[in-house]
Amino acid sequence: MEDDLKAILEQVGKDIEGIRTAAEFEQFKARVSGPNGSFTAITKQIGKLAPEERPKAGKLINQYKNALQEQYDKVLERLEKERLAALIGPPIDPTLPSPDAGPGSLHLLTQVRDEIASVLRKIGFVVADGTEIETEYYCFDALNTPQDHPARDLQDTYYLDSDAKIGNVERKEDERYLLRTHTSSVQIRTMLQQQPPIRIIAPGRCFRRDTADATHSANFHQIEALYVDKGVTVKDLKADLDYLFRSLLGPDAEIRFRPHYFSYTEPSFEVDFKVGHLGKVGSDWMEIMGCGMVDPAVFEEMGYDPNIWSGYAFGLGIERIAMTLYGVDDIRYLYQNDLRLLSQFS
Ligand code: DAH
């Protein structure tokens, strides 16, 4: 009897490897352990044994039954694993690019920045670079912005701790460092490095201590422009801005200047625009940016003779232009990286 049981167990061990589905397993199990199964047939022989041999045989049968059950459990476990693996699919390598992602596209803010830059390049501007961490000198003092100006309020701006390490930058003694509040600081960096004539634009990131809402963000982007030459007048400023806004918004775009105050320009203006085809947004004058003629005090600080050189400067918010042009009504959408928004502008 033991030989027969052993032979069946061995055969089961081999056959079970080939089982692929739960249904196949059930059929197989029935052929071995079912009422007419090969294993069951052997266990029935116990009835023919002498009574004194039966306990020993019973024990033996139980041992083989358990061994058989182990084989069954093993195959059931394997089938379950295979079923789950089939549900999940092949193993995933999260470092690979997604197979269903498109080629990607530039962010709306990048597109608008590039558009503005390409219009201004056509009339001779080149891109200049600055740093996001600035000293008070570049951000305020050199721009004729006095100590008591509200922009210098600690609550308005992010100042760095006096012992904060700034990358590889060597800190100047007695200088306060801050995250630049505007790109106007690049005017100063450029004027100290070059001699006029100068015609630069400086796109970049700016920071202010603003609480985020639909129109404010602590981090935003500007493009600054500076033109210094002999005989530059408000007429040049107006003509170039007319050209910029017509290029950006269409030939029916109009702009107007309203007197304003900026400490680095004199006279200074705020610029409003209006554009018929933009519907509700463009139907009434809307404030869009600041500009003016470079204040002689700034030229003097740079070592330029204001009797020889004159110039204009302007600064505009990239978010502002993007939101106006594309009807985005909350600035926060521009930073959430939600594909439902981004893909509309790809
Ligand atoms: N720096 C100003 C701001 O952040 C914008 C600005 C106004 C820039 C007038 C200029 C300017 O160059 O002349 O609001």
Side-chain angles (χ1 to χ4, degrees), residues 143 181-185 187 206 208 220 222-226 237 260-270 289-294 312-317:
L143 285 161
T181 55
H182 53 186
T183 41
S184 304
S185 51
Q187 290 186 25
C206 308
R208 279 183 209 175
F220 57 99
Q222 287 187 337
I223 292 194
E224 185 79 13
L226 172 71
L237 174 59
H260 197 72
Y261 173 77
F262 294 106
S263 42
Y264 29 97
T265 42
E266 178 58 36
S268 304
F269 310 98
E270 266 189 342
M289 57 177 285
C291 66
M293 302 307 292
V294 179
Y312 73 62
F314 62 82
L316 47 83

Side-chain angles (χ1 to χ4, degrees), residues 146-165:
Q147 236 348 299
D148 58 358
H149 193 280
R152 300 179 70 144
D153 193 319
L154 281 173
Q155 296 309 311
D156 244 34
T157 309
Y158 295 100
Y159 283 84
L160 276 80
D161 287 342
S162 55
D163 55 354
K165 196 165 158 15

Side-chain angles (χ1 to χ4, degrees), residues 4-181:
D4 291 344
L5 291 171
K6 209 169 167 182
I8 287 183
L9 189 64
E10 268 174 27
Q11 194 57 41
V12 164
K14 280 182 202 151
D15 292 349
I16 224 157
E17 299 286 323
I19 291 176
R20 287 283 154 258
T21 64
E24 270 175 44
F25 170 72
E26 287 308 327
Q27 283 168 11
F28 177 82
K29 189 176 165 191
R31 284 201 301 278
V32 179
S33 305
N36 300 315
S38 48
F39 185 83
T40 316
I42 296 170
T43 61
K44 280 179 186 161
Q45 292 171 9
I46 203 167
K48 294 182 196 150
L49 294 177
E52 65 275 16
E53 286 178 28
R54 286 183 195 168
K56 204 175 149 214
K59 221 170 152 194
L60 198 65
I61 287 171
N62 264 339
Q63 267 173 18
Y64 276 88
K65 221 182 201 164
N66 289 341
L68 206 52
Q69 190 58 45
E70 258 173 45
Q71 297 281 359
Y72 292 157
D73 289 346
K74 236 193 256 170
V75 77
L76 283 173
E77 198 179 309
R78 172 171 64 79
L79 289 175
E80 182 61 7
K81 264 194 199 149
E82 285 172 3
R83 190 183 69 85
L84 289 178
L87 279 182
I88 296 167
I92 295 167
D93 179 351
T95 63
L96 289 176
S98 162
D100 52 11
S105 65
L106 294 177
H107 190 281
L108 178 61
L109 290 176
T110 310
Q111 291 179 36
V112 171
R113 180 199 70 189
D114 291 354
E115 208 176 327
I116 298 169
S118 93
V119 172
L120 293 171
R121 272 207 199 99
K122 284 186 194 141
I123 52 171
F125 285 89
V126 293
V127 173
D129 219 0
T131 54
E132 290 171 5
I133 294 178
E134 265 304 357
T135 61
E136 273 193 315
Y137 176 75
Y138 285 106
C139 205
F140 299 127
D141 295 275
L143 285 161
N144 199 33
T145 306
Q147 236 348 299
D148 58 358
H149 193 280
R152 300 179 70 144
D153 193 319
L154 281 173
Q155 296 309 311
D156 244 34
T157 309
Y158 295 100
Y159 283 84
L160 276 80
D161 287 342
S162 55
D163 55 354
K165 196 165 158 15
I166 314 168
N168 297 326
V169 176
E170 205 174 306
R171 281 190 93 117
K172 288 183 205 130
E173 282 281 315
D174 303 329
E175 249 315 357
R176 283 214 293 180
Y177 288 78
L178 47 87
L179 298 182
R180 69 177 174 196
T181 55

Side-chain angles (χ1 to χ4, degrees), residues 244-253 273 275 277-278 324-325:
L244 174 65
F245 278 89
R246 286 197 191 129
S247 307
L248 290 177
L249 303 170
D252 56 341
F273 79 99
V275 50
H277 77 269
L278 275 185
T324 308
L325 274 176

Side-chain angles (χ1 to χ4, degrees), residues 158 208-220 323 329-336:
Y158 295 100
R208 279 183 209 175
R209 267 201 180 199
D210 273 332
T211 305
D213 63 20
T215 52
H216 292 85
S217 163
N219 170 198
F220 57 99
M323 290 168 76
D329 56 15
D330 193 316
I331 197 170
R332 290 166 291 196
Y333 292 147
L334 297 171
Y335 311 118
Q336 286 163 349

